[in-house]
Amino acid sequence: MEKKLVPCLVSFVLILCSVSHVRSDASDHRYKVGDDVPLYVNKVGPFHNPSETYRYFDLPFCSSGPTKDKKEALGEVLNGDRLVTAPYKLDFLNDKDSEVACKNTLTKEQVAQFREAVSKDYYFQMYYDDLPIWGFLGKVDKERKNDPSEYKYYLFKHLHFTIFYNKDRVIEISAQSDLNNVVDLTEDKEVNVEFMYSVKWKETDITFEKRMDKYSQSSSLPHHLEIHWFSIINSCVTVLLLTGFLATILMRVLKNDFVKYAHDEESAEDQEETGWKYIHGDVFRYPKYKSLLAAAVGSGTQLFTLTIFIFVLALVGVFYPYNRGALFTALVVIYALTAGIAGYTAASFFCQLEGTNWVRNLLLTGALFCGPLFLTFCFLNTVAITYSATAALPFGTIVVIFLIWALVTTPLLVLGGIAGKNSKAEFQAPVRTTKYPREIPQLPWYRKTLPQMAMAGFLPFSAIYIELYYIFASVWGHRIYTIYSILFIVFIILLIVTAFITVALTYFQLAAEDHEWWWRSFLCGGSTGLFIYGYCLYYYYARSDMSGFMQTSFFFGYMACVCYGFFLMLGSIGFRASLFFVRHIYRSIKCE
């Protein structure tokens, strides 16, 4: 089943890449003098609350004519984009000076609405020939005013567009507000507003193929690259230390153990040091809640596969800056297509553990990650609907996602489960399991599950925490992350450190004659996800200016789902590494 799924997924990746490049080429418009180049207004919202965005015309802006919504793909809708035709006309190579876009008379309520938006640092976003434009709606005059009631609120009413072109193509655009051409919103009274704009066209030598480069320059600055490479060097040192640590265990301690067992000369004094040999009859005793463990390993394997394919798409250039919604589309579609891997892995492993009710195990596998994600989405979507924010998904989009889940995810999960059940794979235990379990000796507090999880999660987290800031600033801020090669290296380091530290802790657990290592290895491997969620608390309160119930619930709600996904993925990595290690050491000795 896995051999058949991999070529299918590879084919899908290639198709998605080609679709992305086709779409990129589709915006490769060539224009003549006077042609109408499409300008769309997208959304407005508080600058420090990236999830709290609203439609542009939710604020009382006027329009020069009837507005028309732009058709959007699934990923764009999930990204909160709601593009509408703009009141400004930026014809190709036509300069304009103080052109009136539209006129409006603001009522007292509309003035108050604009004033609140300006006080919360609202920004707007537009797209011109698929190039993003940002700007602030207004400004607050706090100069020499200590009392907030004395602040002055102004709305910008004049935009200066500067557009660069190369022959017959648009290359770059910027929009600057005229700081002196403003409307006073301080008092609740009717105000007449003329929204105006100016357009200046300039020629440039930048080619169309490189027009997106400027958006990725911020993440490629020497200072940022230096920090990124310092992060990688720090992580590599951690990996080398752990590798040496593990090599010491394997080469010295285990070698001595093997020699002693081979000569069968161990004495009672040696039992504490080499206690793992004495539990050979219990170490492969199947764990409690084996159906849940199999489902967790299956879900973690699916999420690992999803992550690898996302990295493949990122490294081949699919997620270039402002390829709107490409990442969300890839996440939804690839997760749906990898459901068969989860079903196969969970059912196969569950049957190896002599489980019988494989159908229930399959249902558990399907609901283990999707269930919490669905409940979180329902709550957060309700909050977004209450706020009338663009993060609220339209009913049609919800139906599309449900159909993908019902017609793609579920059938593949079932087919994978059937293939896993019929794989006839047997659990390869190198030693026989005794009829009755050996009693586990009393262990000191630092050998308990929670302290072990803390130790296991801290080292992998320390290898990635520097990179986490840049990822958070991109996802929950307005920075752009484009250095996916460095991120992939950090991800590989994370996997290696997680596997190494989990194996080391599993050895110490077995040496203490504690044979219940199955769940412990999974929990220790996945504990890095808990540290990442702890970092979320630090980032929210110390590194960001996010506020409000909606933004807070979106941040902690969706980050809980992401960290839970990391818990499952890294837990399955830790468990598989420990299973390989335990099989290896018990295969290397002769047990009666």
Side-chain angles (χ1 to χ4, degrees):
M1 179 68 180
E2 285 180 325
K3 291 180 179 178
K4 292 180 180 178
L5 281 171
V6 171
C8 293
L9 289 171
V10 172
S11 301
F12 163 73
V13 169
L14 295 175
I15 291 171
L16 193 58
C17 292
S18 63
V19 168
S20 173
H21 288 299
V22 166
R23 178 175 172 187
S24 175
D25 295 337
S27 63
D28 182 5
H29 295 139
R30 298 174 182 271
Y31 301 101
K32 298 177 182 177
V33 177
D35 281 355
D36 181 18
V37 184
L39 172 66
Y40 295 98
V41 291
N42 186 15
K43 51 192 176 184
V44 294
F47 182 75
H48 299 293
N49 292 352
S51 299
E52 187 183 346
T53 55
Y54 306 94
R55 289 176 174 268
Y56 183 83
F57 287 108
D58 283 350
L59 289 176
F61 286 108
C62 61
S63 178
S64 55
T67 58
K68 183 180 179 182
D69 291 346
K70 182 181 182 294
K71 290 184 179 180
E72 293 166 326
L74 173 64
E76 293 173 325
V77 177
L78 294 175
N79 195 40
D81 291 336
R82 303 292 186 270
L83 273 65
V84 182
T85 51
Y88 310 103
K89 286 184 67 65
L90 311 183
D91 299 330
F92 192 68
L93 296 185
N94 277 3
D95 288 350
K96 295 183 179 181
D97 185 25
S98 299
E99 187 90 4
V100 177
C102 59
K103 300 179 181 180
N104 195 12
T105 300
L106 301 179
T107 64
K108 294 180 181 179
E109 292 77 13
Q110 291 174 332
V111 167
Q113 194 176 354
F114 266 127
R115 183 171 62 244
E116 183 182 7
V118 171
S119 68
K120 292 182 178 179
D121 287 332
Y122 267 50
Y123 72 98
F124 65 82
Q125 185 186 50
M126 303 180 186
Y127 280 93
Y128 183 68
D129 195 43
D130 280 342
L131 292 172
I133 316 167
W134 308 268
F136 285 96
L137 299 186
K139 64 178 181 178
V140 182
D141 183 9
K142 302 179 181 179
E143 194 173 346
R144 284 176 259 174
K145 299 179 180 67
N146 297 323
D147 188 356
S149 62
E150 298 178 354
Y151 291 168
K152 295 284 187 180
Y153 300 89
Y154 298 102
L155 174 70
F156 299 137
K157 64 175 185 177
H158 195 147
L159 275 177
H160 294 278
F161 293 98
T162 303
I163 309 173
F164 293 87
Y165 70 97
N166 186 337
K167 298 178 181 177
D168 52 0
R169 289 167 165 173
V170 176
I171 303 300
E172 184 181 333
I173 183 170
S174 63
Q176 292 182 327
S177 301
D178 189 339
L179 301 181
N180 298 317
N181 205 338
V182 295
V183 178
D184 193 343
L185 303 173
T186 308
E187 299 179 13
D188 286 333
K189 62 180 183 180
E190 285 193 359
V191 177
N192 293 319
V193 184
E194 276 189 344
F195 289 98
M196 307 175 70
Y197 66 105
S198 302
V199 185
K200 182 69 174 178
W201 287 85
K202 296 182 179 180
E203 193 169 7
T204 180
D205 295 330
I206 300 174
T207 61
F208 181 84
E209 291 72 19
K210 294 183 178 180
R211 71 175 190 161
M212 286 292 180
D213 288 356
K214 80 164 210 171
Y215 299 107
S216 58
Q217 285 174 355
S218 60
S219 61
S220 303
L221 292 176
H223 174 67
H224 290 163
L225 278 174
E226 185 179 334
I227 294 176
H228 278 85
W229 282 114
F230 172 77
S231 170
I232 288 184
I233 292 171
N234 172 62
S235 302
C236 287
V237 170
T238 305
V239 171
L240 289 174
L241 289 174
L242 278 173
T243 305
F245 178 60
L246 189 62
T248 301
I249 292 175
L250 294 176
M251 295 176 64
R252 289 192 174 185
V253 181
L254 285 175
K255 185 177 179 181
N256 292 338
D257 291 349
F258 294 153
V259 170
K260 289 177 183 178
Y261 292 147
H263 290 83
D264 198 25
E265 295 176 353
E266 65 270 30
S267 61
E269 289 76 21
D270 296 322
Q271 289 184 13
E272 183 178 353
E273 181 186 1
T274 59
W276 59 270
K277 200 263 185 182
Y278 296 94
I279 57 172
H280 65 83
D282 297 281
V283 75
F284 291 105
R285 189 180 305 281
Y286 299 146
K288 298 177 181 178
Y289 314 112
K290 56 187 177 184
S291 179
L292 180 60
L293 179 62
V297 171
S299 296
T301 305
Q302 179 188 8
L303 293 172
F304 173 71
T305 308
L306 166 68
T307 306
I308 292 299
F309 274 101
I310 290 296
F311 271 118
V312 170
L313 293 178
L315 293 174
V316 299
V318 171
F319 306 133
Y320 58 85
Y322 297 101
N323 185 3
R324 298 191 307 276
L327 177 59
F328 288 103
T329 302
L331 285 171
V332 171
V333 176
I334 298 178
Y335 182 81
L337 291 176
T338 52
I341 293 176
Y344 178 86
T345 305
S348 175
F349 187 57
F350 182 62
C351 292
Q352 288 179 38
L353 299 182
E354 299 178 3
T356 53
N357 197 341
W358 67 276
V359 175
R360 185 176 65 180
N361 173 253
L362 210 56
L363 293 174
L364 183 60
T365 305
L368 196 61
F369 182 72
C370 284
L373 181 63
F374 174 73
L375 293 176
T376 304
F377 164 75
C378 288
F379 171 72
L380 296 180
N381 203 57
T382 303
V383 171
I385 291 172
T386 305
Y387 275 72
S388 299
T390 60
L393 295 188
F395 178 73
T397 304
I398 296 175
V399 170
V400 169
I401 294 176
F402 175 78
L403 289 176
I404 291 175
W405 177 81
L407 301 178
V408 180
T409 306
T410 304
L412 287 177
L413 180 71
V414 173
L415 289 174
I418 294 172
K421 172 184 172 292
N422 297 327
S423 63
K424 305 297 182 183
E426 294 182 359
F427 185 78
Q428 299 172 356
V431 293
R432 288 182 297 177
T433 301
T434 57
K435 188 175 182 181
Y436 300 104
R438 180 187 295 267
E439 184 179 353
I440 299 174
Q442 187 68 30
L443 300 175
W445 66 269
Y446 56 84
R447 289 189 182 273
K448 302 290 185 180
T449 302
L450 289 179
Q452 296 281 292
M453 288 176 64
M455 284 189 283
F458 177 75
L459 283 172
F461 174 77
S462 66
I464 65 169
Y465 80 97
I466 295 178
E467 203 68 20
L468 279 179
Y469 170 75
Y470 293 96
I471 298 171
F472 274 60
S474 172
V475 176
W476 300 104
H478 300 280
R479 292 195 180 186
I480 302 169
Y481 194 96
T482 58
I483 314 178
Y484 297 110
S485 55
I486 290 181
L487 185 60
F488 183 66
I489 295 173
V490 171
F491 177 71
I492 296 298
I493 291 172
L494 172 65
L495 297 181
I496 295 172
V497 176
T498 299
F500 281 1
I501 193 65
T502 308
V503 165
L505 291 175
T506 298
Y507 171 79
F508 288 133
Q509 182 183 358
L510 297 177
E513 298 184 25
D514 181 357
H515 52 78
E516 295 181 348
W517 62 273
W518 302 72
W519 272 109
R520 178 79 68 84
S521 63
F522 188 93
L523 294 174
C524 287
S527 59
T528 305
L530 303 178
F531 276 83
I532 296 176
Y533 199 68
Y535 181 83
C536 293
L537 295 169
Y538 164 75
Y539 181 84
Y540 181 86
Y541 291 106
R543 304 299 293 269
S544 78
D545 294 313
M546 292 184 279
S547 61
F549 177 74
M550 178 183 170
Q551 181 61 45
T552 303
S553 59
F554 263 68
F555 179 77
F556 287 108
Y558 281 126
M559 284 311 303
C561 293
V562 170
C563 294
Y564 176 53
F566 265 93
F567 177 82
L568 293 175
M569 178 179 69
L570 296 177
S572 65
I573 296 294
F575 171 75
R576 288 189 178 278
S578 295
L579 179 60
F580 174 82
F581 170 74
V582 173
R583 278 177 172 160
H584 173 73
I585 63 173
Y586 281 96
R587 192 180 290 119
S588 302
I589 63 171
K590 186 176 181 180
C591 298
E592 297 179 0

